[in-house]
Amino acid sequence: MRTILKKILSPFLQKASAVYLSQPRKYSYKNISVWVEPGVFPPFITISTKLLLEFIETLDLKGKTFLELGCGCGILSILAHQKGASVTATDINETALEALKKNAADNDASLEICYSDLFENLTGKTFDYIIINPPYYPKKPNSIAENAWFCGEHFEYFEKLFKQLPEFIHADNQTYMILSEDCKTEQISAIAQKNNLFLKCISRKIVFREVNFIYQIEHKTKSE
């Protein structure tokens, strides 16, 4: 019953957020405040951003390189900067990137802000930490804004992500991705395994009766 209800509510949430976000809205976490522009992923109507903020708080990032892949409003990147990381924030949404420049300045955060379709414009770079809050509803996105919600009818986002990701995963770095019980984790995991990657669950939290998981993505070993 709950799964059916969420499938009904998810498109409703997207439409409701479009109305609510027809003008810029402020989103805050502790001493960080950012403006979320129309067409940028709205962190207020899902729990994933807050859970990742709480997770990043636990990491020792001083002197580390940090990539937020698909940064949206960029609040995760700003927090990582505050914790001492050298931060790269990427997105394919130009509106998000332009807004992040102002949000970063407002929070005295020095970030490398880069337009990149996944790792397309990051060739040759290495990162100690990579954080991903992906789209996971299986539907074709019809706009840049919808790319924040929909991964494609055949999970094209994950096919592309997991094909590129092995080049950026090394023994001495860490890559994390958040998913909800609302998505088809088995299918996403299968795509990862096809590319010799393994999703290791390191955190499970229930918020508002929704189970959320943070996975560490690693190279698959022969025993897994």
Side-chain angles (χ1 to χ4, degrees):
M1 179 64 181
R2 182 176 177 279
T3 302
I4 295 172
L5 181 61
K6 288 210 69 175
K7 287 182 178 179
I8 294 171
L9 285 179
S10 294
F12 171 78
L13 285 175
Q14 295 151 30
K15 292 178 181 178
S17 69
V19 173
Y20 180 72
L21 291 174
S22 59
Q23 57 183 313
R25 301 283 181 176
K26 184 176 282 190
Y27 179 73
S28 299
Y29 179 79
K30 296 190 174 180
N31 66 328
I32 305 173
S33 290
V34 297
W35 287 98
V36 182
E37 296 292 328
V40 176
F41 177 76
F44 346 84
I45 63 174
T46 70
I47 197 63
S48 60
T49 299
K50 186 172 187 297
L51 292 179
L52 284 175
L53 286 165
E54 293 173 351
F55 177 69
I56 289 170
E57 291 250 49
T58 69
L59 302 177
D60 180 9
L61 297 180
K62 189 172 182 179
K64 303 296 185 180
T65 53
F66 179 99
L67 170 65
E68 184 182 3
L69 194 70
C71 61
C73 68
I75 194 168
L76 301 181
S77 289
I78 293 171
L79 176 61
H81 166 81
Q82 287 189 350
K83 289 182 61 63
S86 175
V87 179
T88 300
T90 71
D91 210 297
I92 60 171
N93 188 332
E94 295 279 12
T95 300
L97 297 176
E98 286 302 313
L100 180 52
K101 292 176 185 178
K102 185 176 186 306
N103 285 329
D106 289 345
N107 289 275
D108 296 319
S110 176
L111 311 177
E112 181 181 355
I113 300 170
C114 174
Y115 176 91
S116 185
D117 184 357
L118 295 176
F119 292 95
E120 186 177 69
N121 294 326
L122 300 174
T123 302
K125 293 182 178 290
T126 59
F127 303 96
D128 296 310
Y129 289 90
I130 300 172
I131 299 290
I132 309 168
N133 186 0
Y136 50 72
Y137 290 109
K139 179 182 174 183
K140 180 181 178 181
N142 293 313
S143 66
I144 289 294
E146 287 192 356
N147 276 284
W149 294 98
F150 302 128
C151 62
E153 292 179 354
H154 304 290
F155 293 81
E156 288 89 345
Y157 171 91
F158 291 101
E159 292 281 359
K160 190 172 183 179
L161 171 67
F162 293 138
K163 184 177 181 180
Q164 296 176 6
L165 192 53
E167 179 183 342
F168 292 85
I169 294 181
H170 309 287
D172 55 352
N173 71 359
Q174 299 175 64
T175 300
Y176 299 102
M177 180 172 67
I178 191 167
L179 294 174
S180 163
E181 65 174 337
D182 194 33
C183 67
K184 296 183 179 179
T185 53
E186 289 186 3
Q187 189 160 348
I188 293 169
S189 180
I191 298 170
Q193 291 184 45
K194 183 173 65 175
N195 290 276
N196 294 314
L197 296 173
F198 174 69
L199 304 187
K200 177 183 177 182
C201 183
I202 62 164
S203 175
R204 179 181 182 273
K205 288 193 176 182
I206 302 174
V207 182
F208 302 127
R209 297 186 180 180
E210 177 183 347
V211 185
N212 293 268
F213 308 91
I214 295 178
Y215 292 94
Q216 183 169 1
I217 308 176
E218 303 174 334
H219 283 293
K220 185 179 178 183
T221 64
K222 291 182 178 180
S223 61
E224 291 169 334

